[in-house]
Structures are given as structure tokens and as C-alpha cells.
Amino acid sequence: MRTEELRDAVLTWFGHHARDLAWRRPGTSAWGVLVSEVMAQQTPVARVEPAWREWMERWPTPADLAAAEDADVLRAWGRLGYPRRALRLRACAAAVVERHGGVVPVDEADLLALPGVGAYTAAAVRAFAHGRHAVVLDTNVRRVLARILAGLALPGPAPTREEVRAAHALVPADDAGSARWNVAVMELGALVCTARAPRCEACPVASACRWYAAGRPANAAPRRPQAWTGSDRQARGRLMAVLRELPDDARLGRADLLAVLPGTDVDQPARALASLVADGLVAEHAGVDGTGADADGTEYALPSRRRQEVAP
DNA sequence: AATACGGGGTG
DNA sequence: CACCCAGTATT
């Protein structure tokens, strides 16, 4: 199957099966697209949609988000995961306002310079928000190309030069064609060429797929195990969940906050809390006595941008 | 090149 | 219950 035929098959399939995602609706701003991409970084699209709707209703423009409180931003982020993305998104909004007059830039280098925007998101914004040429290489596209071109069940841990080159070769040179191809091949990976149970019987390019032709062999190297229970990340997440539920302007004493963590590792709670403070995800307030010598008097809350933080 | 970084849906 | 999800920033 020639490149042209492969593209047409995927584009035709997309025409019939594209999801009606909220940020694909006509009239969605470039900023709205950028927000959707950041939210979807390592978070499944299905969980992003409701959060995106509420978020965009509350903060429709970069200027709106830039003026928001970090605490409100983190609460609205909710359980999407990796809450540092929420802070980066607000910083991104501020950068768009300050550097680009509130307009989401089109230039790749300008996009890459924004907080929380990496190679994937920059390409996605160029393609999906601006309809410009870009090489979108997310986990979906990487998997589709790994199977069709390399005959592998799953792509490696990070994109290789060769992968980028191959992806680039498939993207039409013109803006409009590029934009359509990127979204179509990504959608194919999300709906048909899935990681777990690929639906090859419904795939428009199965006849051109090296992996399918080889009988869908399993990958040689399994991925490294990822422990969750008892991890620092779980501990951080639990602390953030507690602080998100705190009433406005309320604070929680250090002992009360750390007590919510199970005590398998004796110094994990303190370590997790310190890392959250270091990341700017939690604000640390000196105790009422103000001496600062007594760590147990220290109180914690989600960070406020306007209120001056006082180091204990 | 390796790691850290959430949380939940699913096979 | 392991695995994976429209990745990014840091070391």
C-alpha cells in the first residue's frame, strides 16, 4: 500500500468514526485546544472532557486563568492527576498574556517555550488549534506506526530519531492535509489500534500492517513494573486530596495532615509533604505563635497566589 | 538515557 | 491486579 493509499484509508475511516469531543466543536478557541492537550497529558480523554467543560466555562481565556488563585486552579483540576500540570497551565496562561498579548502562538519555538508545553503539545496545538503543519507524535500515533511500519506490538519508551523521521514522512506537506492526517491517525490509535485489545478487524489499514501480517506477535521486552500502593506518589496524592477538600481559607495543622497517611514508612509522610511544598503545590504557614521553632505549629493549605507566604 | 510525577478504568 | 493513558521537566 502506497503512502497515498494509506493516508486516504485512514482519512476515510476518520470521516466515519471520529469522536465528537468537546474541544473539536466548531468555535473552540486555540486556548481551549491547548487546555485540552495539557489535561490529556497522561490522563485518558474520557476523564478530561467534563473537567475541560467546567474549566473553560470558568476561565475562558488565558487572561482569566492567569488571574486565578492557585488554590482554585488546583481544586478545579481535581483528580486528573499530576497536579503540577495545573500550576504549569496557569503559568502558561500568564506567559501567553505577557509574551503574546493573550493570543496562543503559532510558531513552534514560541509554543515550546511555554510552561507545560513539550514536543507533543506544541505539535498538537499547531495542528489542532491553528490547522498548521506539524508532526504529532503521541502514544497513539507511535503505536500505530510501530505496528504498521516496524511490525512491533508497542513502541519503545521514547521516540527515536528514526521514529520521528518515519512519522514526518507520512505527514502531508500542506497545512490543511497535515492537520487532517494528524488527527485521523491519532484517532485510529485511540479507537482501533489500541494498546490492550486492538480491533484489527475494524482497521482500515490492516492489510498494510506489518504487525498484523506477522500474526500480532507480543513484544519481546515487558515494561518495568510500577508500584503504586505505598509509593511517594500515592502519599502526595492523598495529601493533596485532603487539602483540596479543606474549606476556603482553612488550614490544617501538620500533625493532623500527616496523620492521614498510613504509617508503614515512618518518614514518608514528612518527605511527601516537603516535596509538595517544594513543588509549590502546598503552602506552608508558620504557627500562630510565630516562633517558627515549633514544627508542630505549622499549618498547611493549598497555595494562594495573592496572600504572602511566610516561611516558618 | 533515566526518573519522578496521579489516579482510575479495564481486561 | 497489572497495565495503560493525546507527556513534561529535571537530573
mmCIF file of all heavy atoms in Angstrom, chain A residues 38-60:
data_model
loop_
_atom_site.group_PDB
_atom_site.id
_atom_site.type_symbol
_atom_site.label_atom_id
_atom_site.label_comp_id
_atom_site.label_asym_id
_atom_site.label_seq_id
_atom_site.Cartn_x
_atom_site.Cartn_y
_atom_site.Cartn_z
ATOM 1 N N VAL A 38 -3.106 19.813 27.452
ATOM 2 C CA VAL A 38 -2.377 19.702 28.723
ATOM 3 C C VAL A 38 -3.123 18.763 29.674
ATOM 4 O O VAL A 38 -2.524 17.924 30.344
ATOM 5 C CB VAL A 38 -2.190 21.091 29.361
ATOM 6 C CG1 VAL A 38 -1.610 20.968 30.766
ATOM 7 C CG2 VAL A 38 -1.281 21.960 28.490
ATOM 8 N N MET A 39 -4.446 18.882 29.708
ATOM 9 C CA MET A 39 -5.222 17.991 30.580
ATOM 10 C C MET A 39 -5.074 16.535 30.153
ATOM 11 O O MET A 39 -5.125 15.626 30.982
ATOM 12 C CB MET A 39 -6.697 18.376 30.554
ATOM 13 C CG MET A 39 -7.026 19.629 31.326
ATOM 14 S SD MET A 39 -8.804 19.923 31.352
ATOM 15 C CE MET A 39 -8.899 21.253 32.562
ATOM 16 N N ALA A 40 -4.894 16.318 28.852
ATOM 17 C CA ALA A 40 -4.847 14.948 28.333
ATOM 18 C C ALA A 40 -3.444 14.350 28.390
ATOM 19 O O ALA A 40 -3.241 13.225 27.932
ATOM 20 C CB ALA A 40 -5.385 14.911 26.905
ATOM 21 N N GLN A 41 -2.480 15.103 28.942
ATOM 22 C CA GLN A 41 -1.140 14.546 29.098
ATOM 23 C C GLN A 41 -1.161 13.463 30.174
ATOM 24 O O GLN A 41 -1.179 13.747 31.364
ATOM 25 C CB GLN A 41 -0.148 15.642 29.491
ATOM 26 C CG GLN A 41 0.133 16.641 28.390
ATOM 27 C CD GLN A 41 0.881 17.860 28.908
ATOM 28 O OE1 GLN A 41 1.179 17.959 30.090
ATOM 29 N NE2 GLN A 41 1.172 18.803 28.027
ATOM 30 N N GLN A 42 -1.181 12.227 29.764
ATOM 31 C CA GLN A 42 -1.193 11.080 30.685
ATOM 32 C C GLN A 42 -2.518 10.911 31.426
ATOM 33 O O GLN A 42 -2.586 10.181 32.409
ATOM 34 C CB GLN A 42 -0.049 11.181 31.694
ATOM 35 C CG GLN A 42 1.308 11.106 31.047
ATOM 36 C CD GLN A 42 1.611 9.743 30.489
ATOM 37 O OE1 GLN A 42 1.954 8.828 31.191
ATOM 38 N NE2 GLN A 42 1.448 9.604 29.166
ATOM 39 N N THR A 43 -3.555 11.591 30.971
ATOM 40 C CA THR A 43 -4.889 11.375 31.543
ATOM 41 C C THR A 43 -5.843 11.013 30.409
ATOM 42 O O THR A 43 -5.914 11.732 29.413
ATOM 43 C CB THR A 43 -5.390 12.642 32.253
ATOM 44 O OG1 THR A 43 -4.488 12.969 33.308
ATOM 45 C CG2 THR A 43 -6.774 12.417 32.830
ATOM 46 N N PRO A 44 -6.576 9.904 30.531
ATOM 47 C CA PRO A 44 -7.469 9.459 29.452
ATOM 48 C C PRO A 44 -8.492 10.531 29.077
ATOM 49 O O PRO A 44 -9.039 11.233 29.940
ATOM 50 C CB PRO A 44 -8.159 8.236 30.055
ATOM 51 C CG PRO A 44 -7.192 7.719 31.062
ATOM 52 C CD PRO A 44 -6.499 8.925 31.620
ATOM 53 N N VAL A 45 -8.746 10.655 27.788
ATOM 54 C CA VAL A 45 -9.633 11.678 27.244
ATOM 55 C C VAL A 45 -11.016 11.641 27.894
ATOM 56 O O VAL A 45 -11.617 12.681 28.160
ATOM 57 C CB VAL A 45 -9.739 11.510 25.720
ATOM 58 C CG1 VAL A 45 -10.930 12.260 25.180
ATOM 59 C CG2 VAL A 45 -8.470 11.987 25.049
ATOM 60 N N ALA A 46 -11.520 10.462 28.162
ATOM 61 C CA ALA A 46 -12.855 10.342 28.740
ATOM 62 C C ALA A 46 -12.959 11.054 30.081
ATOM 63 O O ALA A 46 -14.006 11.589 30.435
ATOM 64 C CB ALA A 46 -13.224 8.867 28.898
ATOM 65 N N ARG A 47 -11.854 11.057 30.844
ATOM 66 C CA ARG A 47 -11.887 11.730 32.143
ATOM 67 C C ARG A 47 -11.628 13.213 32.014
ATOM 68 O O ARG A 47 -11.943 13.998 32.908
ATOM 69 C CB ARG A 47 -10.843 11.106 33.074
ATOM 70 C CG ARG A 47 -11.422 10.014 33.950
ATOM 71 C CD ARG A 47 -10.558 9.798 35.171
ATOM 72 N NE ARG A 47 -9.271 9.277 34.830
ATOM 73 C CZ ARG A 47 -8.187 9.456 35.580
ATOM 74 N NH1 ARG A 47 -8.251 10.163 36.671
ATOM 75 N NH2 ARG A 47 -7.050 8.939 35.210
ATOM 76 N N VAL A 48 -11.027 13.617 30.880
ATOM 77 C CA VAL A 48 -10.702 15.020 30.676
ATOM 78 C C VAL A 48 -11.942 15.833 30.307
ATOM 79 O O VAL A 48 -12.110 16.967 30.756
ATOM 80 C CB VAL A 48 -9.632 15.172 29.575
ATOM 81 C CG1 VAL A 48 -9.538 16.610 29.098
ATOM 82 C CG2 VAL A 48 -8.285 14.671 30.084
ATOM 83 N N GLU A 49 -12.821 15.254 29.523
ATOM 84 C CA GLU A 49 -13.944 16.032 28.952
ATOM 85 C C GLU A 49 -14.757 16.837 29.966
ATOM 86 O O GLU A 49 -14.910 18.045 29.793
ATOM 87 C CB GLU A 49 -14.852 15.121 28.138
ATOM 88 C CG GLU A 49 -14.395 14.993 26.702
ATOM 89 C CD GLU A 49 -15.555 14.793 25.735
ATOM 90 O OE1 GLU A 49 -15.909 13.632 25.512
ATOM 91 O OE2 GLU A 49 -16.094 15.791 25.235
ATOM 92 N N PRO A 50 -15.304 16.217 31.022
ATOM 93 C CA PRO A 50 -16.099 17.019 31.967
ATOM 94 C C PRO A 50 -15.277 18.098 32.647
ATOM 95 O O PRO A 50 -15.767 19.229 32.839
ATOM 96 C CB PRO A 50 -16.621 15.985 32.967
ATOM 97 C CG PRO A 50 -15.811 14.759 32.752
ATOM 98 C CD PRO A 50 -15.319 14.784 31.353
ATOM 99 N N ALA A 51 -14.040 17.777 33.004
ATOM 100 C CA ALA A 51 -13.184 18.772 33.653
ATOM 101 C C ALA A 51 -12.927 19.939 32.708
ATOM 102 O O ALA A 51 -12.919 21.096 33.116
ATOM 103 C CB ALA A 51 -11.871 18.127 34.088
ATOM 104 N N TRP A 52 -12.706 19.613 31.440
ATOM 105 C CA TRP A 52 -12.427 20.661 30.448
ATOM 106 C C TRP A 52 -13.623 21.612 30.306
ATOM 107 O O TRP A 52 -13.447 22.828 30.246
ATOM 108 C CB TRP A 52 -12.091 20.030 29.108
ATOM 109 C CG TRP A 52 -11.731 21.011 28.046
ATOM 110 C CD1 TRP A 52 -10.514 21.565 27.804
ATOM 111 C CD2 TRP A 52 -12.616 21.578 27.061
ATOM 112 N NE1 TRP A 52 -10.572 22.427 26.741
ATOM 113 C CE2 TRP A 52 -11.842 22.459 26.268
ATOM 114 C CE3 TRP A 52 -13.974 21.416 26.780
ATOM 115 C CZ2 TRP A 52 -12.399 23.177 25.203
ATOM 116 C CZ3 TRP A 52 -14.526 22.138 25.723
ATOM 117 C CH2 TRP A 52 -13.732 23.006 24.951
ATOM 118 N N ARG A 53 -14.838 21.053 30.278
ATOM 119 C CA ARG A 53 -16.031 21.898 30.135
ATOM 120 C C ARG A 53 -16.146 22.890 31.284
ATOM 121 O O ARG A 53 -16.347 24.092 31.075
ATOM 122 C CB ARG A 53 -17.295 21.032 30.099
ATOM 123 C CG ARG A 53 -17.403 20.140 28.896
ATOM 124 C CD ARG A 53 -18.669 19.288 29.023
ATOM 125 N NE ARG A 53 -18.697 18.193 28.067
ATOM 126 C CZ ARG A 53 -19.121 18.323 26.806
ATOM 127 N NH1 ARG A 53 -19.539 19.507 26.387
ATOM 128 N NH2 ARG A 53 -19.122 17.288 25.992
ATOM 129 N N GLU A 54 -16.012 22.402 32.504
ATOM 130 C CA GLU A 54 -16.135 23.284 33.666
ATOM 131 C C GLU A 54 -15.020 24.322 33.685
ATOM 132 O O GLU A 54 -15.232 25.493 33.992
ATOM 133 C CB GLU A 54 -16.090 22.461 34.955
ATOM 134 C CG GLU A 54 -17.256 21.483 35.089
ATOM 135 C CD GLU A 54 -17.087 20.553 36.277
ATOM 136 O OE1 GLU A 54 -16.358 20.926 37.231
ATOM 137 O OE2 GLU A 54 -17.669 19.452 36.256
ATOM 138 N N TRP A 55 -13.824 23.845 33.361
ATOM 139 C CA TRP A 55 -12.641 24.719 33.373
ATOM 140 C C TRP A 55 -12.822 25.868 32.391
ATOM 141 O O TRP A 55 -12.599 27.036 32.729
ATOM 142 C CB TRP A 55 -11.426 23.878 33.015
ATOM 143 C CG TRP A 55 -10.101 24.557 33.152
ATOM 144 C CD1 TRP A 55 -9.565 25.480 32.291
ATOM 145 C CD2 TRP A 55 -9.146 24.360 34.191
ATOM 146 N NE1 TRP A 55 -8.332 25.854 32.734
ATOM 147 C CE2 TRP A 55 -8.045 25.183 33.895
ATOM 148 C CE3 TRP A 55 -9.100 23.560 35.327
ATOM 149 C CZ2 TRP A 55 -6.908 25.228 34.709
ATOM 150 C CZ3 TRP A 55 -7.965 23.607 36.131
ATOM 151 C CH2 TRP A 55 -6.891 24.437 35.824
ATOM 152 N N MET A 56 -13.227 25.553 31.175
ATOM 153 C CA MET A 56 -13.336 26.578 30.129
ATOM 154 C C MET A 56 -14.498 27.540 30.390
ATOM 155 O O MET A 56 -14.475 28.687 29.955
ATOM 156 C CB MET A 56 -13.485 25.926 28.758
ATOM 157 C CG MET A 56 -12.255 25.175 28.292
ATOM 158 S SD MET A 56 -10.744 26.156 28.353
ATOM 159 C CE MET A 56 -11.126 27.422 27.130
ATOM 160 N N GLU A 57 -15.507 27.045 31.098
ATOM 161 C CA GLU A 57 -16.614 27.940 31.440
ATOM 162 C C GLU A 57 -16.173 28.943 32.496
ATOM 163 O O GLU A 57 -16.562 30.106 32.477
ATOM 164 C CB GLU A 57 -17.802 27.110 31.953
ATOM 165 C CG GLU A 57 -19.039 27.930 32.194
ATOM 166 C CD GLU A 57 -20.242 27.048 32.528
ATOM 167 O OE1 GLU A 57 -20.160 25.812 32.315
ATOM 168 O OE2 GLU A 57 -21.243 27.598 33.004
ATOM 169 N N ARG A 58 -15.303 28.460 33.392
ATOM 170 C CA ARG A 58 -14.844 29.320 34.490
ATOM 171 C C ARG A 58 -13.745 30.274 34.054
ATOM 172 O O ARG A 58 -13.712 31.440 34.455
ATOM 173 C CB ARG A 58 -14.345 28.414 35.618
ATOM 174 C CG ARG A 58 -13.979 29.171 36.872
ATOM 175 C CD ARG A 58 -13.740 28.201 38.013
ATOM 176 N NE ARG A 58 -13.470 28.901 39.258
ATOM 177 C CZ ARG A 58 -13.198 28.278 40.396
ATOM 178 N NH1 ARG A 58 -13.174 26.954 40.430
ATOM 179 N NH2 ARG A 58 -12.954 28.975 41.499
ATOM 180 N N TRP A 59 -12.807 29.759 33.261
ATOM 181 C CA TRP A 59 -11.665 30.569 32.792
ATOM 182 C C TRP A 59 -11.558 30.439 31.279
ATOM 183 O O TRP A 59 -10.708 29.678 30.765
ATOM 184 C CB TRP A 59 -10.377 30.088 33.455
ATOM 185 C CG TRP A 59 -10.380 30.161 34.951
ATOM 186 C CD1 TRP A 59 -10.493 31.288 35.733
ATOM 187 C CD2 TRP A 59 -10.244 29.063 35.879
ATOM 188 N NE1 TRP A 59 -10.432 30.963 37.067
ATOM 189 C CE2 TRP A 59 -10.283 29.607 37.191
ATOM 190 C CE3 TRP A 59 -10.091 27.680 35.740
ATOM 191 C CZ2 TRP A 59 -10.183 28.824 38.337
ATOM 192 C CZ3 TRP A 59 -9.972 26.895 36.882
ATOM 193 C CH2 TRP A 59 -10.029 27.471 38.163
ATOM 194 N N PRO A 60 -12.362 31.198 30.538
ATOM 195 C CA PRO A 60 -12.416 31.019 29.076
ATOM 196 C C PRO A 60 -11.137 31.454 28.349
ATOM 197 O O PRO A 60 -10.827 30.915 27.297
ATOM 198 C CB PRO A 60 -13.591 31.921 28.656
ATOM 199 C CG PRO A 60 -14.317 32.267 29.919
ATOM 200 C CD PRO A 60 -13.317 32.194 31.020
#
